[in-house]
Amino acid sequence: HYESAFVISHPASDFESSDNMTILRTSNGSIIEGQMFLNTTAAQALSGIFVWSALLLTCHQIYTHLRFYTVPKEQRYIIRILFIVPVYAFDSWLSLLFISNDQYYVYFDSVRDCYEAFVIYNFLSLSFEYLGGESGIMSEIRGKPIQSSCLYGTCCLVGMSYSIGFLRFCKQATLQFCVVKPIMAVITIILQAFGKYHDGDFNVNGGYLYITIIYNFSVSLALYALFLFYFATSDLLRPYEPVLKFLTIKSVIFLSFWQGMVLAILERCGVIPNALFIDGQEVGAGTVAAGWQNFIICIEMFFAAIALRYAFTCTVYQEKKRDVPEIIPPMQSISSGLKETINPGDMVQDAIHNFSPAYQQYTQQSTQEVAQPSTNGKVATGNKSSRKSDKIMLIASDDEF
């Protein structure tokens, strides 16, 4: 992946002032000067084609959901999940464009990592919404014994039965990842500024080892909660094709993490050349591995956009739209739907409900007020009482998990 390379006997420090020079260290310790594929126009253009294709596909799908925004309680979560493609794709592409500055890609990747935690929460919330919320799920599984399964990690739950505590554990395990991930992202940026963080550097004096351990524990707990929830509600979720949805999201989030770790280890072992300078700028360890990770993600997001298009199809909501009269102008409807989607208020409310001691003994049940027709047969839209609004009912429960 580099051309006209030749072995250099001078120390790397001799090249600090050279412009547009790329210096690599091979597995045998030799220092070579050449051109790396990742910082070529071909790599940036190829990744850009896949990125912008993915953006067009996903943005069209998001627009379609907003155009036929007939079930806001479900589509709100779907649109948030779909935004993972633009966030991942554009973020990775920017990281690749600025690969010569190893400070920038860490900042970009931190934004991407924070959003992945948000997506996991929204996927679980969408599954809850499909089944009618906590109360709807409890009416189906409450009191049923938890089957022992090594595959789903329920061996230690023998003799226990499903309760509201079980659902609360699933939510808490997911929400903790939404808290841990941003904190780890901030710590990573701070450590990077002080030169204490490099991808693939498992030195005990650096931060990569400890952040990786904490991240793995947190993400494993969130993944375990998703497995437990699916194990308990697989029959109920079957009409919604949860496996396709889960595998698509899992492949984007979890496989990309392990993919990045493998690349970092390969660079650490010398399989991938370690860059000392890229385009005349000094870079740290792990920069090349992170560059390959971003390049691969740019390609993968195009296929992820296609998979998400089938996993979260808008066909069902389009059919419902035909049965609902047009109440407000289309563009106003799209704008209001987008505002509702990006409002994180429901996530904050859910966190309070699941972690606050004042609410831990209650089951959440969602109800919805719909617009009532006026006396002349038209739908009233002029006052707040006639508009759609969400209410939360709290049903007392003494169950524990």
Side-chain angles (χ1 to χ4, degrees):
H1 300 296
Y2 44 85
E3 300 173 358
S4 303
F6 56 90
V7 177
I8 299 175
S9 58
H10 302 286
S13 58
D14 293 346
F15 300 93
E16 291 184 9
S17 60
S18 300
D19 296 332
N20 301 322
M21 181 177 290
T22 299
I23 309 296
L24 304 172
R25 178 185 285 120
T26 61
S27 58
N28 59 8
S30 301
I31 297 178
I32 61 175
E33 177 190 356
Q35 187 178 45
M36 188 174 61
F37 173 72
L38 293 175
N39 65 329
T40 61
T41 303
Q44 296 172 356
L46 179 62
S47 58
I49 292 173
F50 279 94
V51 165
W52 286 102
S53 298
L55 288 176
L56 289 175
L57 285 172
T58 305
C59 289
H60 177 265
Q61 186 179 7
I62 291 174
Y63 169 79
T64 305
H65 273 284
L66 290 172
R67 179 68 180 83
F68 301 98
Y69 201 57
T70 53
V71 189
K73 296 288 288 183
E74 294 179 8
Q75 290 175 283
R76 172 172 56 192
Y77 300 120
I78 291 175
I79 293 172
R80 290 174 179 175
I81 293 172
L82 293 177
F83 265 114
I84 192 175
V85 170
V87 171
Y88 263 56
F90 198 66
D91 177 277
S92 298
W93 193 50
L94 285 177
S95 297
L96 191 63
L97 294 179
F98 292 96
I99 189 175
S100 60
N101 190 314
D102 61 350
Q103 296 283 339
Y104 288 172
Y105 87 82
V106 173
Y107 302 148
F108 291 137
D109 293 353
S110 296
V111 175
R112 183 183 70 198
D113 293 343
C114 290
Y115 196 78
E116 72 179 26
F118 187 53
V119 168
I120 294 176
Y121 161 78
N122 280 281
F123 177 69
L124 183 62
S125 298
L126 176 62
S127 299
F128 269 64
E129 196 60 40
Y130 279 151
L131 303 179
E134 292 180 359
S135 59
I137 299 171
M138 277 292 94
S139 65
E140 296 290 341
I141 69 174
R142 175 182 247 161
K144 293 183 179 179
I146 301 178
Q147 298 179 0
S148 176
S149 171
C150 294
L151 178 62
Y152 288 95
T154 57
C155 302
C156 57
L157 304 179
V158 178
M160 301 183 68
S161 59
Y162 293 113
S163 65
I164 185 59
F166 168 80
L167 293 184
R168 185 147 296 116
F169 168 78
C170 293
K171 273 292 184 72
Q172 288 176 342
T174 306
L175 285 166
Q176 61 82 25
F177 186 54
C178 297
V179 175
V180 170
K181 192 57 184 177
I183 293 176
M184 290 297 101
V186 173
I187 294 176
T188 297
I189 292 175
I190 296 174
L191 292 175
Q192 173 75 11
F194 288 94
K196 295 294 184 180
Y197 180 91
H198 299 289
D199 284 338
D201 183 6
F202 291 95
N203 193 309
V204 293
N205 295 323
Y208 181 80
L209 174 63
Y210 306 105
I211 288 178
T212 301
I213 292 174
I214 296 173
Y215 175 85
N216 271 284
F217 176 79
S218 180
V219 75
S220 297
L221 184 60
L223 181 60
Y224 177 61
L226 289 179
F227 269 116
L228 283 180
F229 180 77
Y230 175 74
F231 184 68
T233 61
S234 57
D235 292 336
L236 303 175
L237 285 171
R238 187 169 290 114
Y240 303 98
E241 298 181 341
V243 176
L244 177 60
K245 295 178 171 65
F246 178 74
L247 289 179
T248 303
I249 295 174
K250 181 177 180 294
S251 62
V252 172
I253 295 177
F254 299 106
L255 294 184
S256 64
F257 168 75
W258 289 108
Q259 174 180 278
M261 179 172 287
V262 170
L263 288 170
I265 294 174
L266 290 177
E267 182 178 3
R268 185 72 174 176
C269 296
V271 178
I272 297 177
N274 179 29
L276 303 177
F277 292 87
I278 297 180
D279 292 339
Q281 298 189 41
E282 185 176 4
V283 296
T287 302
V288 178
W292 278 111
Q293 163 79 333
N294 288 315
F295 177 78
I296 294 173
I297 288 178
C298 290
I299 307 299
E300 291 173 338
M301 283 305 102
F302 172 74
F303 300 99
I306 297 175
L308 287 170
R309 197 173 186 86
Y310 286 99
F312 297 96
T313 178
C314 195
T315 305
V316 176
Y317 306 106
Q318 287 175 319
E319 294 174 352
K320 291 183 179 181
K321 183 72 172 180
R322 299 189 186 100
D323 301 329
V324 179
E326 193 70 36
I327 299 175
I328 50 181
M331 290 310 298
Q332 182 181 348
S333 175
I334 292 173
S335 176
S336 61
L338 185 59
K339 289 179 181 178
E340 181 184 359
T341 298
I342 63 178
N343 184 2
D346 60 299
M347 179 179 172
V348 175
Q349 184 183 33
D350 207 12
I352 294 174
H353 169 70
N354 284 279
F355 285 105
S356 174
Y359 293 98
Q360 65 182 357
Q361 296 297 325
Y362 292 86
T363 305
Q364 227 178 40
Q365 183 180 32
S366 299
T367 61
Q368 191 178 72
E369 283 186 352
V370 295
Q372 299 295 330
S374 62
T375 54
N376 61 5
K378 296 182 179 179
V379 178
T381 59
N383 54 67
K384 293 183 179 179
S385 61
S386 65
R387 295 177 182 174
K388 288 185 178 181
S389 61
D390 295 329
K391 289 185 176 181
I392 300 297
M393 295 178 60
L394 298 178
I395 304 174
S397 173
D398 296 328
D399 295 335
E400 290 292 339
F401 179 61

